[in-house]
Each structure stands twice: as C-alpha cells, then as structure tokens.
Amino acid sequence: MNQPQQSALIRIREMILRGVLQPGERVLEVDLAARLGLSRTPVRQALPALALEGLLTPAGGRGYAVRRFTRQESLEALHLRALMEGFAARSIVIAGQGGAMAAALQPLLDEGDAMLAPGILTDALEERYGEMNDRLHAAVIAQAASPLLADLIARCNVVPFTAPGVIAFEDHREDEIVELLRYAHHQHHAIADAFRGGDATRVEMLFREHAMTQESSMAMRRLDIPPQA
C-alpha cells in the first residue's frame, strides 16, 4: 500500500469510527478528496479496503455508504473472537506445540518492540502495528489447524472494530495512544511466555484479557448507533 492510499485509508476510517461520517451516509470520492486534501485516486483505492473491513457497504452503481451497526454487535463479535482465539491457543498448548508457537511469534514481538520504541505516533505506526497485530493473531489461528475455527473467527472479523488489523482509537492524546499500543503489545509478550511455559489455561485467559484491552481503548465504545431498520 502506497503512502497516499495508506493515509486516505486511516483518515477515512477515523472519520467513520468517530461519527464524522454518519451511518447510512453516501461516501463520495470527490467530497472526501476535498476534505482530506488528497487526490481522488488514493480515496478511490481506500474505499474497497474499508468495505472489506466492514465499515462500508455497496450503494448504487459503484459507490459506498457507511454501514449501520450497533455497539453491541461489535462487542459481541470481539468477545466471540477472543473466546475462539483463546480456544485455539489452548489447543496448541495441549497438542504440545506451545514452544514452537512461541518461537514463531518471536519475530513479530521483535517487530512490534522496534516500531514502538521511538514513542512517536504517526499514521504509518498505526497501520504497521495493525498489520503486525493481524499477522500475530493469524499465526495462532493457523497453528491451531482448525478450518472450522478459522472460518468462524473470520466471520467475526467482518464486524466493525473487531478485526486485529483495525486500529482506531477514540479521543486520546498521541502519547496515550502509544502507551495503549505498548500495553497491548506487552500482552503479546505475555501470551508468548504462556505458550513457552506450556500453560494452556493462562494462554486462553490472556486472549480474553487482550480483547478487553481492545474494547476499553478503541473508538467503538463511543458509538452506539441505532441498528439498520
């Protein structure tokens, strides 16, 4: 993803999550480009990606509208994902693969440590952290080797605010956001330690705790949008 497209993706996502773009509102390339001070090309490229995240729905010929959803839907999907990921992690340890899982996660832990070390919030940091987070969670699901479980988690991830790769905060200061990311990544380290130690119960509980961190820090707790009629 090039820099203009990445910037457009993050900024439009924030507009949706903060309620600047209202549920059901048509999203027009020309208007967004003018509001963001960008050309229409990166905006046009960002909209399908936001539709895949579940934040936009097709409207009209080739256009999009902001999807209507409820806070409860997002919370339920997030908690279901956490339960299933915890189950996946537990099954990995029970199968005697905890050490191998911890070793596979180490490069992602190192990557996260390096990107968070400067302590400076940028659009690129949020995007890179989201990508790393998505790969870390996907690695655990893949190691569990359960197609049914992977499919169920994927269904949860299309609900807004639920997928590990979607990073969007409410009205925190930049330094607070960096600290929230660091805390979440500290939980990644704790999860890897539990895998390494072969503690099935702890690794399962840590995934549930990890979801609670996402719930408390991200923008979805501010939005309680009426459901679609």
Side-chain angles (χ1 to χ4, degrees), residues 72-100:
Q72 189 60 32
E73 285 176 320
S74 293
L75 289 173
E76 288 176 355
L78 177 60
H79 285 248
L80 284 170
R81 173 170 71 80
L83 288 170
M84 289 186 286
E85 287 181 338
F87 178 85
R90 182 183 182 87
S91 70
I92 290 169
V93 173
I94 291 174
Q97 299 174 348

Side-chain angles (χ1 to χ4, degrees), residues 81 84-86 88-89 92 100-116 127-145 153 157 163-167 181-196 203 206-208 210-211 214:
R81 173 170 71 80
M84 289 186 286
E85 287 181 338
I92 290 169
M101 187 74 259
L105 294 181
Q106 191 59 51
L108 295 169
L109 298 178
D110 294 341
E111 182 181 335
D113 291 342
M115 74 175 68
L116 292 169
E127 188 72 14
R128 288 172 58 211
Y129 183 89
E131 291 173 354
M132 180 278 297
N133 194 46
D134 188 58
R135 284 183 281 128
L136 188 147
H137 286 255
V140 173
I141 296 165
Q143 187 70 29
I153 292 172
N157 285 343
V166 178
I167 305 297
L181 292 176
R182 283 177 170 164
Y183 180 71
H185 194 55
H186 174 75
Q187 291 179 316
H188 291 156
H189 279 277
I191 286 168
D193 288 343
F195 274 125
R196 192 175 295 109
V203 77
L206 282 169
F207 267 103
R208 298 188 189 186
H210 194 45
Q214 183 173 346

Side-chain angles (χ1 to χ4, degrees), residues 52-66:
L52 288 175
E53 290 182 8
L55 292 175
L56 298 177
T57 56
R62 298 191 305 174
Y64 295 94
V66 179

